[in-house]
Amino acid sequence: MAIIFDLDQTLIDSMAAESMRRSRNWKEVYSMIPFLRPYEGIDKIFEILSSKQIPHAIVTSSPTPYCKRVISHLAWDIPITVCYHDTSRRKPYPDPIILAVEKLGIAKEDILSIGDDPRDIQASKAAGVKAGAALWGIDNYSSILKENPDYSFYTVKEFEEYIIKRY
Protein backbone atom coordinates (compact mmCIF):
# COMPACT_ATOMS: atom_id res chain seq x y z
CA MET A 1 0.00 0.00 0.00
CA ALA A 2 1.19 3.53 -0.80
CA ILE A 3 -0.16 7.06 -1.15
CA ILE A 4 0.63 9.72 -3.76
CA PHE A 5 -0.18 13.29 -2.79
CA ASP A 6 -0.63 16.41 -4.84
CA LEU A 7 1.08 19.34 -3.09
CA ASP A 8 -0.75 22.64 -3.46
CA GLN A 9 -4.24 22.84 -1.97
CA THR A 10 -3.92 19.19 -0.92
CA LEU A 11 -1.07 19.27 1.59
CA ILE A 12 -0.54 23.02 1.90
CA ASP A 13 -2.74 26.07 1.56
CA SER A 14 -0.84 27.97 -1.12
CA MET A 15 -3.65 30.22 -2.37
CA ALA A 16 -1.73 33.31 -1.23
CA ALA A 17 0.95 32.46 -3.80
CA GLU A 18 -1.35 31.24 -6.57
CA SER A 19 -1.25 34.32 -8.80
CA MET A 20 2.55 34.40 -8.61
CA ARG A 21 2.74 30.66 -9.33
CA ARG A 22 0.53 31.11 -12.41
CA SER A 23 2.70 33.96 -13.66
CA ARG A 24 5.81 31.87 -12.90
CA ASN A 25 7.24 34.50 -10.59
CA TRP A 26 9.13 31.82 -8.68
CA LYS A 27 11.47 34.19 -6.84
CA GLU A 28 8.43 35.79 -5.18
CA VAL A 29 6.80 32.40 -4.59
CA TYR A 30 9.97 31.11 -2.86
CA SER A 31 9.92 34.14 -0.56
CA MET A 32 6.37 33.19 0.46
CA ILE A 33 7.12 29.57 1.40
CA PRO A 34 7.59 30.39 5.12
CA PHE A 35 4.01 31.68 5.13
CA LEU A 36 2.44 28.66 3.40
CA ARG A 37 0.99 26.30 5.95
CA PRO A 38 -0.02 22.66 5.82
CA TYR A 39 -3.68 22.01 6.36
CA GLU A 40 -4.51 21.15 9.94
CA GLY A 41 -3.89 17.43 10.44
CA ILE A 42 -1.48 16.92 7.54
CA ASP A 43 1.55 16.63 9.81
CA LYS A 44 -0.30 13.93 11.75
CA ILE A 45 -1.02 12.10 8.47
CA PHE A 46 2.72 11.96 7.78
CA GLU A 47 3.38 10.73 11.34
CA ILE A 48 0.87 7.92 10.82
CA LEU A 49 2.36 6.99 7.44
CA SER A 50 5.84 6.89 8.95
CA SER A 51 4.76 4.85 11.97
CA LYS A 52 2.98 2.34 9.73
CA GLN A 53 5.86 2.43 7.21
CA ILE A 54 3.49 3.30 4.39
CA PRO A 55 5.42 4.57 1.36
CA HIS A 56 4.30 7.93 0.01
CA ALA A 57 5.27 10.46 -2.64
CA ILE A 58 4.36 13.90 -3.93
CA VAL A 59 3.35 14.46 -7.55
CA THR A 60 3.05 18.14 -8.39
CA SER A 61 2.87 20.32 -11.48
CA SER A 62 5.19 22.77 -9.72
CA PRO A 63 8.94 22.80 -10.34
CA THR A 64 11.33 20.72 -8.24
CA PRO A 65 13.00 23.64 -6.40
CA TYR A 66 9.61 24.83 -5.12
CA CYS A 67 8.53 21.35 -4.05
CA LYS A 68 11.85 20.62 -2.33
CA ARG A 69 11.85 23.99 -0.54
CA VAL A 70 8.33 23.41 0.78
CA ILE A 71 9.25 19.90 1.97
CA SER A 72 12.43 21.19 3.61
CA HIS A 73 10.72 24.17 5.25
CA LEU A 74 8.04 21.91 6.76
CA ALA A 75 10.64 19.27 7.75
CA TRP A 76 8.72 16.49 6.03
CA ASP A 77 10.48 13.24 5.17
CA ILE A 78 9.27 12.72 1.61
CA PRO A 79 12.09 11.33 -0.52
CA ILE A 80 10.00 10.59 -3.61
CA THR A 81 8.76 13.49 -5.69
CA VAL A 82 7.67 13.91 -9.28
CA CYS A 83 7.63 17.54 -10.34
CA TYR A 84 7.00 19.67 -13.42
CA HIS A 85 10.18 18.87 -15.36
CA ASP A 86 10.28 15.15 -14.50
CA THR A 87 7.91 14.19 -17.31
CA SER A 88 7.21 15.77 -20.67
CA ARG A 89 3.46 15.52 -20.13
CA ARG A 90 1.79 16.63 -16.94
CA LYS A 91 -1.53 15.95 -15.27
CA PRO A 92 -4.16 15.22 -16.57
CA TYR A 93 -1.89 12.82 -18.46
CA PRO A 94 -0.94 9.78 -16.39
CA ASP A 95 2.83 10.17 -16.93
CA PRO A 96 3.68 11.81 -13.56
CA ILE A 97 1.59 9.30 -11.62
CA ILE A 98 3.13 6.40 -13.57
CA LEU A 99 6.62 7.69 -12.75
CA ALA A 100 5.72 7.94 -9.06
CA VAL A 101 4.37 4.38 -9.13
CA GLU A 102 7.68 3.22 -10.61
CA LYS A 103 9.66 5.13 -7.98
CA LEU A 104 7.50 3.72 -5.17
CA GLY A 105 7.93 0.16 -6.44
CA ILE A 106 4.37 -0.73 -5.38
CA ALA A 107 1.71 -2.33 -7.59
CA LYS A 108 -0.53 0.40 -8.97
CA GLU A 109 -3.61 -1.41 -7.66
CA ASP A 110 -2.28 -0.82 -4.14
CA ILE A 111 -1.83 2.94 -4.49
CA LEU A 112 -4.17 5.80 -3.67
CA SER A 113 -3.43 9.12 -5.34
CA ILE A 114 -5.09 12.11 -3.72
CA GLY A 115 -5.48 15.64 -5.04
CA ASP A 116 -7.71 18.70 -5.16
CA ASP A 117 -8.09 19.19 -8.91
CA PRO A 118 -10.01 17.33 -11.63
CA ARG A 119 -6.67 16.78 -13.41
CA ASP A 120 -5.43 14.85 -10.37
CA ILE A 121 -8.38 12.48 -10.62
CA GLN A 122 -8.03 12.12 -14.42
CA ALA A 123 -4.29 11.39 -14.19
CA SER A 124 -4.76 8.90 -11.36
CA LYS A 125 -7.50 6.98 -13.16
CA ALA A 126 -5.54 6.96 -16.42
CA ALA A 127 -2.52 5.58 -14.54
CA GLY A 128 -4.61 2.80 -12.99
CA VAL A 129 -4.33 3.89 -9.35
CA LYS A 130 -7.19 4.64 -6.99
CA ALA A 131 -8.21 8.31 -7.17
CA GLY A 132 -9.04 10.32 -4.07
CA ALA A 133 -10.51 13.81 -4.00
CA ALA A 134 -9.06 16.11 -1.33
CA LEU A 135 -11.98 18.48 -0.85
CA TRP A 136 -10.70 20.30 2.24
CA GLY A 137 -8.72 22.89 0.27
CA ILE A 138 -11.28 23.85 -2.35
CA ASP A 139 -14.57 25.74 -2.50
CA ASN A 140 -16.12 24.21 -5.62
CA TYR A 141 -16.57 20.46 -5.22
CA SER A 142 -18.61 19.90 -8.37
CA SER A 143 -15.78 19.98 -10.92
CA ILE A 144 -13.69 17.37 -9.13
CA LEU A 145 -16.66 15.19 -8.18
CA LYS A 146 -17.72 15.09 -11.86
CA GLU A 147 -14.56 13.01 -12.43
CA ASN A 148 -16.00 10.27 -10.19
CA PRO A 149 -13.11 9.79 -7.78
CA ASP A 150 -12.92 6.43 -6.03
CA TYR A 151 -12.88 8.26 -2.69
CA SER A 152 -13.88 11.76 -1.56
CA PHE A 153 -12.53 13.25 1.64
CA TYR A 154 -14.16 16.46 2.85
CA THR A 155 -11.76 16.90 5.75
CA VAL A 156 -8.21 15.88 6.60
CA LYS A 157 -9.68 14.06 9.61
CA GLU A 158 -11.81 11.90 7.27
CA PHE A 159 -8.68 11.06 5.30
CA GLU A 160 -6.81 10.24 8.51
CA GLU A 161 -9.60 7.88 9.60
CA TYR A 162 -9.50 6.21 6.18
CA ILE A 163 -5.74 5.62 6.52
CA ILE A 164 -6.07 4.21 10.02
CA LYS A 165 -8.85 1.80 8.98
CA ARG A 166 -7.44 0.84 5.57
CA TYR A 167 -3.76 0.55 6.32
Side-chain angles (χ1 to χ4, degrees):
M1 305 304 267
I3 300 177
I4 295 171
F5 294 93
D6 178 49
L7 178 59
D8 294 287
Q9 300 312 116
T10 299
L11 297 177
I12 63 168
D13 182 351
S14 59
M15 283 307 292
E18 184 63 23
S19 65
M20 287 164 275
R21 288 178 65 234
R22 287 180 195 240
S23 65
R24 301 183 189 274
N25 184 351
W26 292 107
K27 183 178 179 184
E28 189 68 27
V29 173
Y30 297 156
S31 73
M32 293 187 72
I33 289 173
F35 306 102
L36 304 181
R37 300 279 180 247
Y39 287 101
E40 186 175 339
I42 293 296
D43 288 331
K44 185 172 182 189
I45 296 285
F46 287 130
E47 290 171 17
I48 293 167
L49 296 177
S50 293
S51 71
K52 294 179 173 267
Q53 298 181 338
I54 299 168
H56 49 283
I58 289 177
V59 173
T60 179
S61 296
S62 294
T64 300
Y66 169 76
C67 181
K68 296 290 186 183
R69 288 176 190 198
V70 169
I71 290 170
S72 175
H73 174 73
L74 296 171
W76 288 339
D77 181 21
I78 305 174
I80 298 173
T81 61
V82 176
C83 303
Y84 183 86
H85 295 98
D86 293 332
T87 58
S88 59
R89 297 188 309 171
R90 288 149 217 44
K91 300 182 259 183
Y93 293 101
D95 307 29
I97 303 292
I98 291 169
L99 181 56
V101 169
E102 291 170 6
K103 288 182 171 192
L104 286 164
I106 306 284
K108 64 183 176 183
E109 299 81 21
D110 293 328
I111 297 176
L112 170 65
S113 176
I114 184 162
D116 67 294
D117 188 278
R119 292 170 293 194
D120 296 318
I121 305 304
Q122 293 163 0
S124 299
K125 288 183 164 229
V129 302
K130 293 176 193 78
L135 302 174
W136 55 78
I138 59 176
D139 294 328
N140 181 0
Y141 302 149
S142 63
S143 62
I144 194 168
L145 294 177
K146 283 181 190 173
E147 299 300 328
N148 297 312
D150 297 300
Y151 301 95
S152 297
F153 304 102
Y154 288 86
T155 65
V156 175
K157 186 70 174 167
E158 271 185 46
F159 183 54
E160 175 190 328
E161 290 167 0
Y162 168 84
I163 292 170
I164 291 170
K165 287 179 189 171
R166 179 85 165 111
Y167 297 89

PDB file of all heavy atoms in Angstrom, residues 3-28:
ATOM      1  N   ILE A   3       0.666   5.884  -0.870  1.00  0.00           N
ATOM      2  CA  ILE A   3      -0.156   7.063  -1.154  1.00  0.00           C
ATOM      3  C   ILE A   3       0.677   8.079  -1.934  1.00  0.00           C
ATOM      4  O   ILE A   3       1.828   8.343  -1.591  1.00  0.00           O
ATOM      5  CB  ILE A   3      -0.698   7.706   0.132  1.00  0.00           C
ATOM      6  CG1 ILE A   3      -1.573   6.696   0.888  1.00  0.00           C
ATOM      7  CG2 ILE A   3      -1.494   8.969  -0.187  1.00  0.00           C
ATOM      8  CD1 ILE A   3      -2.103   7.182   2.211  1.00  0.00           C
ATOM      9  N   ILE A   4       0.050   8.626  -2.979  1.00  0.00           N
ATOM     10  CA  ILE A   4       0.635   9.718  -3.757  1.00  0.00           C
ATOM     11  C   ILE A   4      -0.194  10.961  -3.466  1.00  0.00           C
ATOM     12  O   ILE A   4      -1.428  10.929  -3.566  1.00  0.00           O
ATOM     13  CB  ILE A   4       0.608   9.408  -5.267  1.00  0.00           C
ATOM     14  CG1 ILE A   4       1.494   8.210  -5.584  1.00  0.00           C
ATOM     15  CG2 ILE A   4       1.024  10.637  -6.072  1.00  0.00           C
ATOM     16  CD1 ILE A   4       1.361   7.701  -7.021  1.00  0.00           C
ATOM     17  N   PHE A   5       0.492  12.039  -3.113  1.00  0.00           N
ATOM     18  CA  PHE A   5      -0.178  13.295  -2.791  1.00  0.00           C
ATOM     19  C   PHE A   5       0.125  14.345  -3.850  1.00  0.00           C
ATOM     20  O   PHE A   5       1.263  14.475  -4.286  1.00  0.00           O
ATOM     21  CB  PHE A   5       0.350  13.873  -1.466  1.00  0.00           C
ATOM     22  CG  PHE A   5       0.040  13.074  -0.252  1.00  0.00           C
ATOM     23  CD1 PHE A   5       0.942  12.133   0.214  1.00  0.00           C
ATOM     24  CD2 PHE A   5      -1.140  13.271   0.449  1.00  0.00           C
ATOM     25  CE1 PHE A   5       0.678  11.399   1.363  1.00  0.00           C
ATOM     26  CE2 PHE A   5      -1.413  12.547   1.595  1.00  0.00           C
ATOM     27  CZ  PHE A   5      -0.505  11.604   2.059  1.00  0.00           C
ATOM     28  N   ASP A   6      -0.874  15.140  -4.188  1.00  0.00           N
ATOM     29  CA  ASP A   6      -0.634  16.415  -4.843  1.00  0.00           C
ATOM     30  C   ASP A   6      -0.116  17.338  -3.740  1.00  0.00           C
ATOM     31  O   ASP A   6      -0.285  17.047  -2.550  1.00  0.00           O
ATOM     32  CB  ASP A   6      -1.941  16.943  -5.452  1.00  0.00           C
ATOM     33  CG  ASP A   6      -1.770  18.306  -6.104  1.00  0.00           C
ATOM     34  OD1 ASP A   6      -0.830  18.476  -6.896  1.00  0.00           O
ATOM     35  OD2 ASP A   6      -2.576  19.204  -5.793  1.00  0.00           O
ATOM     36  N   LEU A   7       0.503  18.453  -4.100  1.00  0.00           N
ATOM     37  CA  LEU A   7       1.078  19.340  -3.090  1.00  0.00           C
ATOM     38  C   LEU A   7       0.162  20.520  -2.759  1.00  0.00           C
ATOM     39  O   LEU A   7      -0.381  20.614  -1.661  1.00  0.00           O
ATOM     40  CB  LEU A   7       2.453  19.842  -3.560  1.00  0.00           C
ATOM     41  CG  LEU A   7       3.196  20.813  -2.647  1.00  0.00           C
ATOM     42  CD1 LEU A   7       3.454  20.209  -1.275  1.00  0.00           C
ATOM     43  CD2 LEU A   7       4.510  21.249  -3.303  1.00  0.00           C
ATOM     44  N   ASP A   8      -0.017  21.405  -3.709  1.00  0.00           N
ATOM     45  CA  ASP A   8      -0.752  22.645  -3.456  1.00  0.00           C
ATOM     46  C   ASP A   8      -2.245  22.395  -3.338  1.00  0.00           C
ATOM     47  O   ASP A   8      -2.837  21.710  -4.167  1.00  0.00           O
ATOM     48  CB  ASP A   8      -0.462  23.654  -4.573  1.00  0.00           C
ATOM     49  CG  ASP A   8       0.990  24.083  -4.553  1.00  0.00           C
ATOM     50  OD1 ASP A   8       1.355  24.848  -3.653  1.00  0.00           O
ATOM     51  OD2 ASP A   8       1.759  23.614  -5.422  1.00  0.00           O
ATOM     52  N   GLN A   9      -2.831  22.946  -2.308  1.00  0.00           N
ATOM     53  CA  GLN A   9      -4.244  22.839  -1.974  1.00  0.00           C
ATOM     54  C   GLN A   9      -4.647  21.419  -1.573  1.00  0.00           C
ATOM     55  O   GLN A   9      -5.824  21.166  -1.371  1.00  0.00           O
ATOM     56  CB  GLN A   9      -5.149  23.368  -3.092  1.00  0.00           C
ATOM     57  CG  GLN A   9      -4.910  24.836  -3.429  1.00  0.00           C
ATOM     58  CD  GLN A   9      -4.868  25.728  -2.204  1.00  0.00           C
ATOM     59  OE1 GLN A   9      -3.846  26.334  -1.894  1.00  0.00           O
ATOM     60  NE2 GLN A   9      -5.963  25.820  -1.481  1.00  0.00           N
ATOM     61  N   THR A  10      -3.675  20.526  -1.463  1.00  0.00           N
ATOM     62  CA  THR A  10      -3.915  19.188  -0.918  1.00  0.00           C
ATOM     63  C   THR A  10      -3.167  19.059   0.397  1.00  0.00           C
ATOM     64  O   THR A  10      -3.762  18.751   1.423  1.00  0.00           O
ATOM     65  CB  THR A  10      -3.475  18.093  -1.911  1.00  0.00           C
ATOM     66  OG1 THR A  10      -4.237  18.227  -3.119  1.00  0.00           O
ATOM     67  CG2 THR A  10      -3.698  16.703  -1.329  1.00  0.00           C
ATOM     68  N   LEU A  11      -1.869  19.314   0.369  1.00  0.00           N
ATOM     69  CA  LEU A  11      -1.069  19.266   1.591  1.00  0.00           C
ATOM     70  C   LEU A  11      -0.913  20.639   2.230  1.00  0.00           C
ATOM     71  O   LEU A  11      -0.931  20.760   3.443  1.00  0.00           O
ATOM     72  CB  LEU A  11       0.324  18.692   1.287  1.00  0.00           C
ATOM     73  CG  LEU A  11       0.352  17.248   0.793  1.00  0.00           C
ATOM     74  CD1 LEU A  11       1.776  16.835   0.457  1.00  0.00           C
ATOM     75  CD2 LEU A  11      -0.251  16.316   1.842  1.00  0.00           C
ATOM     76  N   ILE A  12      -0.740  21.656   1.387  1.00  0.00           N
ATOM     77  CA  ILE A  12      -0.545  23.022   1.904  1.00  0.00           C
ATOM     78  C   ILE A  12      -1.552  23.986   1.284  1.00  0.00           C
ATOM     79  O   ILE A  12      -1.983  23.800   0.144  1.00  0.00           O
ATOM     80  CB  ILE A  12       0.885  23.551   1.643  1.00  0.00           C
ATOM     81  CG1 ILE A  12       1.170  23.649   0.145  1.00  0.00           C
ATOM     82  CG2 ILE A  12       1.912  22.704   2.370  1.00  0.00           C
ATOM     83  CD1 ILE A  12       2.429  24.419  -0.209  1.00  0.00           C
ATOM     84  N   ASP A  13      -1.891  24.992   2.062  1.00  0.00           N
ATOM     85  CA  ASP A  13      -2.743  26.073   1.556  1.00  0.00           C
ATOM     86  C   ASP A  13      -1.816  27.109   0.924  1.00  0.00           C
ATOM     87  O   ASP A  13      -1.165  27.876   1.621  1.00  0.00           O
ATOM     88  CB  ASP A  13      -3.546  26.698   2.694  1.00  0.00           C
ATOM     89  CG  ASP A  13      -4.474  27.793   2.215  1.00  0.00           C
ATOM     90  OD1 ASP A  13      -4.396  28.206   1.034  1.00  0.00           O
ATOM     91  OD2 ASP A  13      -5.294  28.257   3.034  1.00  0.00           O
ATOM     92  N   SER A  14      -1.741  27.079  -0.395  1.00  0.00           N
ATOM     93  CA  SER A  14      -0.840  27.970  -1.122  1.00  0.00           C
ATOM     94  C   SER A  14      -1.591  29.017  -1.938  1.00  0.00           C
ATOM     95  O   SER A  14      -1.016  29.624  -2.841  1.00  0.00           O
ATOM     96  CB  SER A  14       0.075  27.148  -2.041  1.00  0.00           C
ATOM     97  OG  SER A  14      -0.712  26.411  -2.951  1.00  0.00           O
ATOM     98  N   MET A  15      -2.852  29.254  -1.597  1.00  0.00           N
ATOM     99  CA  MET A  15      -3.647  30.218  -2.368  1.00  0.00           C
ATOM    100  C   MET A  15      -3.020  31.604  -2.370  1.00  0.00           C
ATOM    101  O   MET A  15      -3.117  32.328  -3.364  1.00  0.00           O
ATOM    102  CB  MET A  15      -5.072  30.292  -1.839  1.00  0.00           C
ATOM    103  CG  MET A  15      -5.939  29.118  -2.268  1.00  0.00           C
ATOM    104  SD  MET A  15      -5.964  28.824  -4.049  1.00  0.00           S
ATOM    105  CE  MET A  15      -6.838  30.258  -4.611  1.00  0.00           C
ATOM    106  N   ALA A  16      -2.347  31.991  -1.295  1.00  0.00           N
ATOM    107  CA  ALA A  16      -1.731  33.314  -1.226  1.00  0.00           C
ATOM    108  C   ALA A  16      -0.671  33.494  -2.311  1.00  0.00           C
ATOM    109  O   ALA A  16      -0.400  34.612  -2.733  1.00  0.00           O
ATOM    110  CB  ALA A  16      -1.109  33.539   0.155  1.00  0.00           C
ATOM    111  N   ALA A  17      -0.102  32.394  -2.783  1.00  0.00           N
ATOM    112  CA  ALA A  17       0.953  32.463  -3.800  1.00  0.00           C
ATOM    113  C   ALA A  17       0.449  32.070  -5.189  1.00  0.00           C
ATOM    114  O   ALA A  17       1.223  32.057  -6.143  1.00  0.00           O
ATOM    115  CB  ALA A  17       2.120  31.550  -3.406  1.00  0.00           C
ATOM    116  N   GLU A  18      -0.819  31.779  -5.312  1.00  0.00           N
ATOM    117  CA  GLU A  18      -1.355  31.236  -6.566  1.00  0.00           C
ATOM    118  C   GLU A  18      -1.129  32.154  -7.768  1.00  0.00           C
ATOM    119  O   GLU A  18      -0.707  31.698  -8.832  1.00  0.00           O
ATOM    120  CB  GLU A  18      -2.844  30.915  -6.414  1.00  0.00           C
ATOM    121  CG  GLU A  18      -3.450  30.256  -7.630  1.00  0.00           C
ATOM    122  CD  GLU A  18      -2.856  28.902  -7.963  1.00  0.00           C
ATOM    123  OE1 GLU A  18      -2.293  28.242  -7.084  1.00  0.00           O
ATOM    124  OE2 GLU A  18      -2.947  28.495  -9.141  1.00  0.00           O
ATOM    125  N   SER A  19      -1.411  33.423  -7.639  1.00  0.00           N
ATOM    126  CA  SER A  19      -1.249  34.317  -8.798  1.00  0.00           C
ATOM    127  C   SER A  19       0.212  34.394  -9.224  1.00  0.00           C
ATOM    128  O   SER A  19       0.514  34.445 -10.418  1.00  0.00           O
ATOM    129  CB  SER A  19      -1.795  35.712  -8.498  1.00  0.00           C
ATOM    130  OG  SER A  19      -1.051  36.335  -7.477  1.00  0.00           O
ATOM    131  N   MET A  20       1.119  34.368  -8.266  1.00  0.00           N
ATOM    132  CA  MET A  20       2.547  34.397  -8.609  1.00  0.00           C
ATOM    133  C   MET A  20       3.001  33.073  -9.221  1.00  0.00           C
ATOM    134  O   MET A  20       3.856  33.057 -10.098  1.00  0.00           O
ATOM    135  CB  MET A  20       3.377  34.738  -7.373  1.00  0.00           C
ATOM    136  CG  MET A  20       3.236  36.193  -6.980  1.00  0.00           C
ATOM    137  SD  MET A  20       3.803  36.501  -5.331  1.00  0.00           S
ATOM    138  CE  MET A  20       2.336  36.086  -4.413  1.00  0.00           C
ATOM    139  N   ARG A  21       2.421  31.973  -8.748  1.00  0.00           N
ATOM    140  CA  ARG A  21       2.741  30.664  -9.332  1.00  0.00           C
ATOM    141  C   ARG A  21       2.279  30.628 -10.790  1.00  0.00           C
ATOM    142  O   ARG A  21       2.998  30.170 -11.662  1.00  0.00           O
ATOM    143  CB  ARG A  21       2.077  29.539  -8.531  1.00  0.00           C
ATOM    144  CG  ARG A  21       2.733  29.323  -7.172  1.00  0.00           C
ATOM    145  CD  ARG A  21       2.046  28.238  -6.346  1.00  0.00           C
ATOM    146  NE  ARG A  21       2.187  26.966  -7.000  1.00  0.00           N
ATOM    147  CZ  ARG A  21       1.156  26.162  -7.302  1.00  0.00           C
ATOM    148  NH1 ARG A  21      -0.077  26.494  -6.998  1.00  0.00           N
ATOM    149  NH2 ARG A  21       1.367  25.024  -7.892  1.00  0.00           N
ATOM    150  N   ARG A  22       1.073  31.111 -11.034  1.00  0.00           N
ATOM    151  CA  ARG A  22       0.535  31.108 -12.407  1.00  0.00           C
ATOM    152  C   ARG A  22       1.354  31.975 -13.348  1.00  0.00           C
ATOM    153  O   ARG A  22       1.508  31.652 -14.516  1.00  0.00           O
ATOM    154  CB  ARG A  22      -0.924  31.555 -12.416  1.00  0.00           C
ATOM    155  CG  ARG A  22      -1.845  30.519 -11.855  1.00  0.00           C
ATOM    156  CD  ARG A  22      -3.282  30.999 -11.889  1.00  0.00           C
ATOM    157  NE  ARG A  22      -4.080  30.145 -11.046  1.00  0.00           N
ATOM    158  CZ  ARG A  22      -5.104  29.442 -11.474  1.00  0.00           C
ATOM    159  NH1 ARG A  22      -5.473  29.492 -12.718  1.00  0.00           N
ATOM    160  NH2 ARG A  22      -5.778  28.695 -10.639  1.00  0.00           N
ATOM    161  N   SER A  23       1.882  33.084 -12.827  1.00  0.00           N
ATOM    162  CA  SER A  23       2.705  33.961 -13.663  1.00  0.00           C
ATOM    163  C   SER A  23       4.175  33.546 -13.650  1.00  0.00           C
ATOM    164  O   SER A  23       5.016  34.222 -14.248  1.00  0.00           O
ATOM    165  CB  SER A  23       2.556  35.419 -13.219  1.00  0.00           C
ATOM    166  OG  SER A  23       3.063  35.585 -11.918  1.00  0.00           O
ATOM    167  N   ARG A  24       4.455  32.443 -12.978  1.00  0.00           N
ATOM    168  CA  ARG A  24       5.808  31.868 -12.902  1.00  0.00           C
ATOM    169  C   ARG A  24       6.823  32.830 -12.285  1.00  0.00           C
ATOM    170  O   ARG A  24       7.986  32.847 -12.649  1.00  0.00           O
ATOM    171  CB  ARG A  24       6.265  31.371 -14.264  1.00  0.00           C
ATOM    172  CG  ARG A  24       5.346  30.327 -14.847  1.00  0.00           C
ATOM    173  CD  ARG A  24       5.866  29.809 -16.175  1.00  0.00           C
ATOM    174  NE  ARG A  24       4.898  28.969 -16.830  1.00  0.00           N
ATOM    175  CZ  ARG A  24       4.743  27.673 -16.627  1.00  0.00           C
ATOM    176  NH1 ARG A  24       5.491  27.060 -15.767  1.00  0.00           N
ATOM    177  NH2 ARG A  24       3.843  26.991 -17.297  1.00  0.00           N
ATOM    178  N   ASN A  25       6.361  33.600 -11.330  1.00  0.00           N
ATOM    179  CA  ASN A  25       7.237  34.497 -10.586  1.00  0.00           C
ATOM    180  C   ASN A  25       7.790  33.712  -9.388  1.00  0.00           C
ATOM    181  O   ASN A  25       7.429  33.944  -8.234  1.00  0.00           O
ATOM    182  CB  ASN A  25       6.463  35.737 -10.127  1.00  0.00           C
ATOM    183  CG  ASN A  25       7.337  36.739  -9.427  1.00  0.00           C
ATOM    184  OD1 ASN A  25       8.491  36.487  -9.123  1.00  0.00           O
ATOM    185  ND2 ASN A  25       6.759  37.901  -9.143  1.00  0.00           N
ATOM    186  N   TRP A  26       8.678  32.770  -9.684  1.00  0.00           N
ATOM    187  CA  TRP A  26       9.131  31.819  -8.678  1.00  0.00           C
ATOM    188  C   TRP A  26       9.948  32.469  -7.575  1.00  0.00           C
ATOM    189  O   TRP A  26       9.890  32.049  -6.418  1.00  0.00           O
ATOM    190  CB  TRP A  26       9.862  30.646  -9.333  1.00  0.00           C
ATOM    191  CG  TRP A  26       8.891  29.847 -10.127  1.00  0.00           C
ATOM    192  CD1 TRP A  26       8.777  29.794 -11.482  1.00  0.00           C
ATOM    193  CD2 TRP A  26       7.828  29.035  -9.610  1.00  0.00           C
ATOM    194  NE1 TRP A  26       7.699  29.001 -11.835  1.00  0.00           N
ATOM    195  CE2 TRP A  26       7.114  28.525 -10.704  1.00  0.00           C
ATOM    196  CE3 TRP A  26       7.414  28.699  -8.331  1.00  0.00           C
ATOM    197  CZ2 TRP A  26       6.013  27.687 -10.564  1.00  0.00           C
ATOM    198  CZ3 TRP A  26       6.317  27.863  -8.172  1.00  0.00           C
ATOM    199  CH2 TRP A  26       5.624  27.369  -9.284  1.00  0.00           C
ATOM    200  N   LYS A  27      10.693  33.510  -7.883  1.00  0.00           N
ATOM    201  CA  LYS A  27      11.466  34.190  -6.839  1.00  0.00           C
ATOM    202  C   LYS A  27      10.525  34.693  -5.740  1.00  0.00           C
ATOM    203  O   LYS A  27      10.791  34.517  -4.550  1.00  0.00           O
ATOM    204  CB  LYS A  27      12.271  35.349  -7.442  1.00  0.00           C
ATOM    205  CG  LYS A  27      13.148  36.055  -6.438  1.00  0.00           C
ATOM    206  CD  LYS A  27      13.963  37.160  -7.086  1.00  0.00           C
ATOM    207  CE  LYS A  27      14.802  37.856  -6.036  1.00  0.00           C
ATOM    208  NZ  LYS A  27      15.532  38.992  -6.561  1.00  0.00           N
ATOM    209  N   GLU A  28       9.422  35.300  -6.150  1.00  0.00           N
ATOM    210  CA  GLU A  28       8.431  35.791  -5.183  1.00  0.00           C
ATOM    211  C   GLU A  28       7.750  34.623  -4.470  1.00  0.00           C
ATOM    212  O   GLU A  28       7.506  34.681  -3.255  1.00  0.00           O
ATOM    213  CB  GLU A  28       7.403  36.678  -5.889  1.00  0.00           C
ATOM    214  CG  GLU A  28       6.475  37.400  -4.951  1.00  0.00           C
ATOM    215  CD  GLU A  28       7.165  38.473  -4.116  1.00  0.00           C
ATOM    216  OE1 GLU A  28       8.181  39.031  -4.553  1.00  0.00           O
ATOM    217  OE2 GLU A  28       6.682  38.724  -2.999  1.00  0.00           O
TER     218      GLU A  28
END
